[in-house]
Amino acid sequence: RRACPRKNPGNTMSQATQYGDNVVVARLGDAKIMVSVLRTINFEGGDASCSLSENGMKFTVENAKSMQARAFLQSKLFEEYTYMPTDEEVTEFNLNLSTLLECLNMFGNVAGRVSLRLTYAGYGTPVMLTLEQQGIIIDCSLKTLEAGRSPDIDIRATEIPSNIIMKSEWLAEVFSTLDATSETITIHMSPDKPFFRLGTHGPAGSMQVDCPKDSDVIESFNCEKTLINKYQARMLKSCERALVVSSKISIRVNAWGTLSIQFLLRLDDVDEGVFVEYLLLPEDESNSGYSETQS
């Protein structure tokens, strides 16, 4: 076995004895951190793909092959994170995200921290959770399924001529005012005015909201050419659950119109940056934006 511990790397045999046949053993000081992160992508209530590696855990949820949401829990977020794969550098499986969240939230909204120990022993085995709060221990066994989903939406499949980093508050306010009857939201990014514009068109009429590149909410503005794309409003607005708990966002659009919005989450008692990413294909899907290789 190849051991990839985050702390105190010992020899492979001693770690295999300590952790048994587990592929991953992770300890988190407060399970509420994991709950807060995974809630930001639980918009469909269905299955999520989980990828384990020496770098941490990645959870991916998709919707109609037009949108993917990814949550990253880096290994350094955990008090302990040991990954001992058998053959592959990345271990993948599917599980029901809503069920995982229910298990993680077994103690409800009680005050104080709820410690978490998570283990996974490999293909066909359940994810085992042990939660502890003030001496009370709850063990959960969560069924896993064989990994299976569409290839990753890859914004890097072609050039990315635009990237905006901004405070989350502006986009959150705009989303709350956009016409709810519009089926699509148009995103206009250009090196000249209007620079960054969101627009809707519905039975009640048209609406446009502009954000100039010298606005106080813009931290970085890079746009090499004009890009105008429409996205399904229902899917784009589903990212609000990540938006409301984030401090800043990065918005990128590639030459095919594939949209990436990365959220830097604002979490209590967490010093490390925790990121969630939403990727959407435009209404015109002549270029799919899908990658043949999974990451």
Side-chain angles (χ1 to χ4, degrees), residues 75-231:
S75 59
K76 59 186 177 182
L77 184 68
F78 296 86
E79 276 70 17
E80 174 190 355
Y81 185 91
T82 303
Y83 180 62
M84 297 188 292
T86 52
D87 298 312
E88 304 294 333
E89 290 189 3
V90 176
T91 301
E92 291 190 310
F93 55 86
N94 282 15
L95 48 69
N96 186 278
L97 188 56
S98 293
T99 303
L100 173 59
L101 284 167
E102 288 177 11
C103 292
L104 291 170
N105 205 36
M106 279 288 187
F107 282 97
N109 296 320
V110 296
R113 295 190 171 199
V114 177
S115 66
L116 167 67
R117 183 178 189 265
L118 180 152
T119 62
Y120 174 68
Y123 181 81
T125 66
V127 169
M128 305 299 296
L129 305 174
T130 300
L131 299 116
E132 182 176 359
Q133 214 264 348
Q134 295 183 354
I136 300 174
I137 298 174
I138 298 177
D139 292 317
C140 299
S141 175
L142 185 60
K143 180 181 178 181
T144 60
L145 304 171
E146 185 173 358
R149 60 180 174 86
S150 301
D152 283 341
I153 297 177
D154 187 3
I155 192 172
R156 300 164 298 180
T158 185
E159 62 174 324
I160 306 173
S162 61
N163 182 17
I164 298 175
I165 299 176
M166 65 191 307
K167 296 176 182 177
S168 301
E169 57 192 36
W170 182 85
L171 190 60
E173 183 177 350
V174 170
F175 272 2
S176 67
T177 59
L178 289 175
D179 182 3
T181 65
S182 177
E183 294 184 356
T184 61
I185 295 176
T186 300
I187 296 181
H188 181 143
M189 302 173 75
S190 61
D192 304 304
K193 289 183 178 182
F195 300 112
F196 182 52
R197 168 180 288 172
L198 271 68
T200 55
H201 181 77
S206 298
M207 177 180 180
Q208 294 179 339
V209 182
D210 295 347
C211 184
K213 68 177 183 179
D214 58 355
S215 168
D216 290 340
V217 301
I218 299 288
E219 294 191 6
S220 173
F221 183 93
N222 295 289
C223 186
E224 299 173 4
K225 64 181 181 181
T226 299
L227 298 168
I228 303 175
N229 294 283
K230 290 183 179 181
Y231 304 91

